[in-house]
Amino acid sequence: MRTVKIKPTQPQADFHALTCKHPAFIGGFGTGKSETMANQAFMDASHSGSALIGLYEPTYDLVRLIMAPRIEEKLQEYGIRYRYNKSENIIYSSNGQFGDFVLRTLDNPSRIIGYETYRAHVDEIDTLKEEKAREAWIKIIARNRQSPAGVDKPFNRVSAYSTPEGFKFVYKAWKKEAKKGYEMIQASTMSNPFLPPDYVDTLKETYPEQLIAAYINGEFVNLTSGTIYTEFDRVIHNTDVVWDKREPLHIGLDFNVCNMSAVICVIRKGVCYDVDEITGGYDTPSMIQSIKERYQNCQINIYPDSSGKNRIAQDASDSSIHL
């Protein structure tokens, strides 16, 4: 068995120490997921000269631009002669004690056929739609049954490497509905001491809090529905400000079919305070009537959402905003 020497970060070392059937390395930007994948694949290839190691990327461009160059770099680093057959997308090792690498994509799971792997490594599977990710994972596991020459009691294993992309396939498979053999290591961007000193600060200045939790801290957070309220805190943002019956009102109006709503605000010293709301409005005329009845003898500024420009059934020649 060839010795592969690496200098991992602590989360990477913890991942390499896992002995389960399906380990996962989940991390934010800059945590070294691709490096971790390449190193683990190399350790697997060192088990036997007949071992075939599967490497999977979401698209062919990622195979060509990321995975293949990384494996070639590792082969050169360890002085292992090889031949990269680009038509087959297989990297053949010329060392009789070191295995080969088959490079495949995840975008068409039906094409994951016709070969058997000893170990497999799947990169960024959570960037796929959940259904396709699950289909690809099942196909990869089905291919992972090779028994390499010289390996006593071969242990077939499929590993995953990904940024946390919300509550999708990876979250369900390794956390919410984790079965026996599914274990993961979550890594923060700050665990990598080799990044530029200002890298994390730059990311924090660029991304909102929700994305920071996912792409820096490596946490599973909601990245789709309801994210408009991610900055809201009921304690921090609570207010006891009351409208004084005279000051101008600023009303945000939301047009929904038979369920219109409005938030009523006042602005004091440049700070906007929510002081009231209207919910369950049937249509635009009924909302106008409610506003007129509640708030009299003051200036009213309306800020309608973009759907208000749509034509309405009562008068096809006009729009709600013009009303």
Side-chain angles (χ1 to χ4, degrees):
M1 181 183 293
R2 174 176 290 271
T3 300
V4 177
K5 296 181 180 180
I6 60 176
K7 295 180 180 180
T9 64
Q10 188 59 55
Q12 291 171 341
D14 293 340
F15 174 80
H16 293 311
L18 292 177
T19 58
C20 59
K21 186 78 169 177
H22 301 302
F25 186 83
I26 310 302
F29 294 155
T31 50
K33 293 184 293 296
S34 295
E35 180 70 6
T36 305
M37 180 175 176
N39 284 332
Q40 188 62 56
F42 254 66
M43 287 188 276
D44 292 343
S46 68
H47 291 185
S48 171
S50 66
L52 183 62
I53 310 302
L55 300 171
Y56 298 86
E57 290 282 357
T59 65
Y60 176 71
D61 280 346
L62 292 176
V63 169
R64 180 175 57 87
L65 297 174
I66 295 179
M67 185 51 62
R70 183 64 64 97
I71 295 300
E72 289 185 287
E73 179 184 328
K74 290 289 180 184
L75 288 164
Q76 294 165 12
E77 177 183 347
Y78 289 105
I80 300 174
R81 297 179 61 187
Y82 68 93
R83 177 173 60 87
Y84 180 17
N85 188 320
K86 294 184 178 181
S87 63
E88 296 180 340
N89 265 322
I90 298 178
I91 298 177
Y92 294 98
S93 164
S94 299
N95 187 309
Q97 299 179 340
F98 198 84
D100 303 324
F101 302 91
V102 56
L103 284 60
R104 292 291 184 266
T105 67
L106 302 169
D107 52 3
N108 191 345
S110 64
R111 294 181 180 177
I112 303 176
I113 57 175
Y115 58 91
E116 294 181 1
T117 58
Y118 167 54
R119 297 279 175 88
H121 302 270
V122 188
D123 194 25
E124 298 295 359
I125 191 171
D126 231 18
T127 60
L128 276 65
K129 291 184 178 180
E130 186 176 341
E131 183 178 344
K132 181 172 286 188
R134 192 179 306 279
E135 182 185 357
W137 183 255
I138 293 172
K139 288 277 189 177
I140 292 167
I141 290 176
R143 295 287 99 203
N144 197 58
R145 57 179 185 260
Q146 184 197 30
S147 297
V151 178
D152 185 32
K153 297 180 180 180
F155 180 58
N156 300 114
R157 182 166 68 173
V158 181
S159 307
Y161 311 77
S162 184
T163 49
E165 300 290 344
F167 304 130
K168 297 170 63 178
F169 171 71
V170 170
Y171 169 77
K172 292 178 180 177
W174 275 272
K175 190 168 184 177
K176 183 180 179 181
E177 304 166 0
K179 299 177 182 178
K180 182 179 179 180
Y182 284 77
E183 299 177 22
M184 69 174 173
I185 299 296
Q186 289 180 264
S188 164
T189 301
M190 292 174 283
S191 68
N192 189 348
F194 307 109
L195 294 173
D198 62 345
Y199 182 75
V200 173
D201 289 338
T202 300
L203 291 179
K204 287 182 176 180
E205 293 172 357
T206 305
Y207 291 100
E209 183 178 346
Q210 199 79 344
L211 292 183
I212 288 174
Y215 296 151
I216 296 181
N217 299 334
E219 299 173 0
F220 293 103
V221 295
N222 184 4
L223 299 180
T224 54
S225 62
T227 54
I228 190 171
Y229 296 111
T230 59
E231 304 295 329
F232 178 74
D233 186 296
R234 290 187 179 276
V235 176
I236 296 174
H237 301 113
N238 183 51
T239 179
D240 57 2
V241 169
V242 177
W243 179 48
D244 67 5
K245 307 293 185 180
R246 298 183 305 276
E247 58 193 323
L249 292 176
H250 301 267
I251 301 178
L253 190 59
D254 184 25
F255 293 88
N256 291 310
V257 178
C258 299
N259 188 25
M260 296 183 65
S261 60
V263 59
I264 290 76
C265 311
V266 297
I267 298 178
R268 297 179 182 174
K269 296 182 179 180
V271 178
C272 184
Y273 298 94
D274 295 350
V275 295
D276 199 2
E277 67 176 353
I278 299 175
T279 60
Y282 180 75
D283 56 16
T284 304
S286 67
M287 287 296 288
I288 292 174
Q289 184 63 31
S290 295
I291 291 172
K292 286 182 175 180
E293 290 176 353
R294 288 196 189 192
Y295 317 109
Q296 300 178 11
N297 303 319
C298 70
Q299 177 184 330
I300 296 177
N301 305 282
I302 302 288
Y303 305 88
D305 70 13
S306 61
S307 65
K309 67 179 180 294
N310 298 334
R311 296 290 174 86
I312 59 175
Q314 292 92 329
D315 185 354
S317 66
D318 212 337
S319 72
S320 293
I321 286 180
H322 292 151
L323 289 174

